[in-house]
Amino acid sequence: GIDENGLVYTQNVYDGMTKAALIKAAKKVICITDSSKFEKHFLYIFCTIADIDVIITDEDIPDEIRKMLISKNIEVITV
């Protein structure tokens, strides 16, 4: 999940630890998620939106979230 404060969550701690390590090693981070994951809080925070370069999602992304992402220079691609 991605919340309104720009924190990125997962439900599984081990999954989150793996994702955090991959993000740390990556040159570019692309997040693919459907709009139902926005404004959600889960168990484990593994990064912030500042760690993400591109988000690919569907067209139902909340306007407030889209504006926040764009203001942080994150490319938002809707499909």
Side-chain angles (χ1 to χ4, degrees):
I2 300 174
D3 76 6
E4 60 282 351
N5 297 312
L7 299 174
V8 185
Y9 297 81
T10 187
Q11 294 179 342
N12 182 293
V13 173
Y14 298 111
D15 182 50
M17 292 170 66
T18 301
K19 289 177 181 181
L22 291 169
I23 288 168
K24 185 176 180 182
K27 293 180 182 174
K28 186 171 188 174
V29 177
I30 300 171
C31 174
I32 301 172
T33 187
D34 65 88
S35 61
S36 71
K37 301 297 188 289
F38 291 102
E39 300 178 322
K40 301 285 184 180
H41 302 91
F42 294 111
L43 175 67
Y44 185 80
I45 299 169
F46 64 90
C47 74
T48 70
I49 60 164
D51 300 312
I52 298 172
D53 300 297
V54 179
I55 291 184
I56 301 172
T57 190
D58 60 86
E59 295 178 353
D60 293 329
I61 180 174
D63 284 337
E64 315 83 52
I65 298 291
R66 179 193 302 271
K67 289 175 186 175
M68 185 259 302
L69 294 170
I70 292 170
S71 76
K72 304 287 185 186
N73 294 319
I74 298 168
E75 182 180 2
V76 178
I77 299 171
T78 54
V79 293

